[in-house]
Amino acid sequence: MLTFILIVVAVILGTIALVKVVDKFVPNKLKPVLNILLWVLIAFFGYQTYLSIYEPIQFNKLKNERYVVVIESLKDIRDSELAHRQVTGKFTDSFDNLIKFIDTAKFTITQRRDSSVVDQELTRRYGVDTFKDIMIIDTLGTVPVKDSLFKNSNRYKTMMNVPVGKEGAKFDLKAGFINQNDINIPVFEALVKKEVLLHDQNPDLVAQENQVIAVDGVNGDALKVGSMNEVKTNGNWPKTYGDNE
């Protein structure tokens, strides 16, 4: 908005100055030519003013549309990785392994219930039956991971592909462990750079988007979920784009 105001002020002041110069110093026979040039100059500044407003608006509209689509893919990757950790105890950095896992793995369905049993030690100590509470976990069966996450959809087979932006781009997927309190905790991260999603847009606007730091914006130069530096599985987008946890 500040740029727009400065441009408008510059156009107005420049026009006034040129009119005064034409009236005061230019011979009458040259005034028609200069007037034409003046109108051309005014039209040029007017067009630049229009672009300074219209282009960022269109950029933000397209950016938001692409982000929404990409975030849905990142959610699929996250759900798949969380399922992989639940079954195997770790994340994977291979989309091929992740797809194979979804095709073949199953969740175990369990039921927990409280019960009590005789505490042998206390019974011997006091000479009367003494009981202690325990938790019993019953296995009820299994269900395919694919059915739980994707039902009748096969979109997980192409979740490595970035759905918008630069053609042929793929998400960057990493996985490993970080050590906290001498415990190795599994972590993963999936991301795509903003410049890939907005490769066909104005480079200056893309550069500005890479510097975004805002509550209602996607901070940083990439859309991502998870982290290789801390234990978290949420995305870096605000909730205006959808659930990030």
Side-chain angles (χ1 to χ4, degrees), residues 13-241:
L13 294 178
T15 302
I16 293 174
L18 285 173
V19 169
K20 289 184 177 180
V21 169
V22 169
D23 286 339
K24 188 172 182 179
F25 298 106
V26 176
N28 290 334
K29 63 180 180 179
L30 295 179
K31 285 182 179 181
V33 176
L34 290 178
N35 283 333
I36 292 174
L37 293 176
L38 180 60
W39 280 110
V40 171
L41 184 62
I42 291 173
F44 171 77
F45 279 120
Y47 179 69
Q48 293 300 315
T49 302
Y50 168 77
L51 286 182
S52 70
I53 302 173
Y54 179 76
E55 191 173 13
I57 291 175
Q58 290 300 106
F59 174 83
N60 286 327
K61 180 181 177 181
L62 181 141
K63 173 198 73 177
N64 290 334
E65 291 174 349
R66 292 186 181 180
Y67 282 7
V68 168
V69 175
V70 171
I71 286 168
E72 290 304 312
S73 292
L74 288 172
K75 288 180 181 179
D76 281 344
I77 296 172
R78 175 181 59 194
D79 292 344
S80 301
E81 285 282 11
L82 289 174
H84 190 278
R85 184 190 63 180
Q86 180 177 337
V87 174
T88 69
K90 62 182 180 180
F91 296 115
T92 178
D93 60 0
S94 168
F95 278 111
D96 289 338
N97 289 342
L98 198 56
I99 292 170
K100 182 178 179 180
F101 166 79
I102 295 170
D103 279 330
T104 60
K106 295 182 179 181
F107 287 125
T108 300
I109 303 174
T110 61
Q111 174 181 282
R112 297 186 179 187
R113 55 188 176 88
D114 296 326
S115 184
S116 61
V117 296
V118 174
D119 188 319
Q120 299 293 341
E121 182 179 348
L122 293 181
T123 297
R124 285 194 301 269
R125 182 182 304 174
Y126 299 115
V128 295
D129 289 344
T130 305
F131 295 85
K132 62 180 179 181
D133 294 330
I134 63 170
M135 174 74 72
I136 297 177
I137 300 177
D138 297 320
T139 300
L140 303 180
T142 59
V143 59
V145 171
K146 177 183 175 182
D147 292 345
S148 295
L149 298 184
F150 299 101
K151 296 183 179 180
N152 297 323
S153 174
N154 286 324
R155 67 182 186 276
Y156 67 91
K157 293 186 176 181
T158 57
M159 62 183 170
M160 75 291 294
N161 299 327
V162 179
V164 294
K166 192 172 183 179
E167 186 175 354
K170 298 183 183 298
F171 290 103
D172 183 19
L173 182 63
K174 298 178 181 178
F177 295 87
I178 60 175
N179 187 278
Q180 290 189 353
N181 300 321
D182 294 327
I183 300 174
N184 286 328
I185 302 175
V187 292
F188 86 98
E189 181 180 83
L191 66 82
V192 58
K193 294 290 188 179
K194 290 179 179 179
E195 62 186 21
V196 173
L197 304 179
L198 305 170
H199 73 104
D200 54 352
Q201 299 301 298
N202 185 320
D204 291 334
L205 294 177
V206 175
Q208 292 177 25
E209 176 63 20
N210 284 336
Q211 302 300 318
V212 165
I213 300 177
V215 175
D216 60 348
V218 178
N219 296 335
D221 63 353
L223 262 73
K224 64 179 181 178
V225 63
S227 173
M228 293 301 294
N229 301 314
E230 55 184 316
V231 181
K232 68 175 186 179
T233 59
N234 59 306
N236 70 329
W237 56 88
K239 290 191 175 181
T240 51
Y241 287 102

